[in-house]
Amino acid sequence: MGATRFFVSGVFALGDAVELAAADARKLAVVLRAKTGDAVEVVDSSGRSYGGTLRFDGQRVSAVLERALAAPRPLRLRVTLAQGLPKGQKMDYVVEKATELGIARILPFVSSRTAGDGARPGKLERWQRLAKSAAQQCGRPDVPEVAAPVEFRTLVAEVRTVDLAVVPWELADGRPLRERLPELIVNARTALVAIGPEGGFSDEEAGALEASGAHLVSLGSRILRTETAGLVAYAALLYASGDI
Ligand code: SAH
């Protein structure tokens, strides 16, 4: 396994000693039992990766940047996952798994059938923290943005800003994604996948999304849970775009 990776804010150069965030310093000291001289990988705000070594100084830990590392190939398709706020802790799962898969941005939204209390204070910071640690763990060079929850009408407006918007809807025509995605994805560089909350989208909401240019698609004859559907749809897009 390669060295542990950490994101740092700011843009740095070879030779710099970069202080790591307090939470990262604690993780290195307490969980990973790292010491001065251990190897580490650091990704700065511009997405550049460096190999370096750790320096412990009391509670503070810095990394001396010694080698520039090759940047991983960026994904061809930049995808936003718009997720209807689910109940309980399910959003944690969505954020972690979508980040691993390579999602560019997560946009939680509230719609007519939202039942979750997910917009509670503190949740957004928690999701952003989870996105950062999932990104560090999986080796991607960037952390996806987790936006503050928006109203349904903002989601409708978002549909117009992307090359391709795909909305899984249980009542959509059942033509397989394998047939539909290749033609939809041609020339698309940005995409949005919108997933309803546990209660799904109302007919009016599905109609409004379609009227703004979204494609209503089926994910098969089984009803998937809200936290499953987005990952499945995004995985299908990754497959169609050649990104996996
Ligand atoms: N309330 C609905 C299910 C909602 S599932 C019902 O019980 O009938 C939550 C979301 O997952 C849906 O809004 C949709 O975006 C997506 N989804 C789940 N299963 C799907 C399927 N088979 N096809 C398309 N979308 C699906």
Side-chain angles (χ1 to χ4, degrees):
M1 202 189 101
T4 317
R5 297 160 50 93
F6 292 97
F7 289 100
V8 291
S9 46
V11 176
F12 298 95
L14 281 180
D16 285 351
V18 183
E19 185 167 345
L20 302 180
D24 293 336
R26 248 187 333 271
K27 178 178 169 194
L28 276 162
V30 178
V31 183
L32 301 171
R33 311 214 168 249
K35 311 174 295 305
T36 291
D38 284 356
V40 72
E41 198 179 318
V42 171
V43 185
D44 75 7
S45 301
S46 72
R48 258 182 228 118
S49 299
Y50 296 93
T53 51
L54 290 171
R55 219 156 56 187
F56 281 72
D57 173 18
Q59 309 271 55
R60 299 151 72 114
V61 181
S62 45
V64 182
L65 310 185
E66 290 160 346
R67 284 173 304 126
L69 302 176
R73 192 171 65 87
L75 299 183
R76 182 180 164 276
L77 195 63
R78 239 189 100 74
V79 181
T80 294
L81 172 62
Q83 172 68 55
L85 272 175
K87 293 192 228 168
Q89 304 291 309
K90 287 180 186 168
M91 192 68 183
D92 290 3
Y93 177 82
V94 171
V95 167
E96 184 177 290
K97 300 306 163 201
T99 300
E100 280 172 40
L101 287 171
I103 208 83
R105 179 166 168 256
I106 298 172
L107 179 67
F109 68 87
V110 174
S111 55
S112 65
R113 296 186 182 164
T114 299
D117 57 354
R120 275 211 321 265
K123 286 255 180 156
L124 181 59
E125 290 70 27
R126 177 181 168 76
W127 299 331
Q128 287 166 338
R129 264 199 320 277
L130 286 169
K132 184 177 170 190
S133 59
Q136 285 183 169
Q137 183 274 332
C138 76
R140 59 184 279 179
D142 60 327
V143 181
E145 180 203 347
V146 185
V150 297
E151 297 292 330
F152 181 77
R153 62 187 138 79
T154 306
L155 171 63
V156 174
E158 284 274 331
V159 164
R160 300 182 208 276
T161 68
V162 289
D163 298 334
L164 168 66
V166 171
V167 179
W169 192 44
E170 313 79 75
L171 305 175
D173 108 57
R175 201 146 70 87
L177 284 184
R178 187 164 73 161
E179 287 169 20
R180 295 189 70 179
L181 284 184
E183 51 196 78
L184 292 179
I185 217 166
V186 175
N187 296 328
R189 287 287 176 273
T190 58
L192 177 122
V193 174
I195 302 296
E198 285 89 349
F201 289 118
S202 66
D203 291 3
E204 294 71 32
E205 286 167 341
L209 291 165
E210 190 173 35
S212 332
H215 298 270
L216 302 177
V217 303
S218 166
L219 298 178
S221 55
R222 285 126 349 251
I223 303 290
L224 307 178
R225 288 187 185 252
T226 183
E227 69 273 29
T228 312
L231 301 175
V232 169
Y234 180 45
L237 280 174
L238 284 168
Y239 179 71
S241 67
D243 281 327
I244 51 174

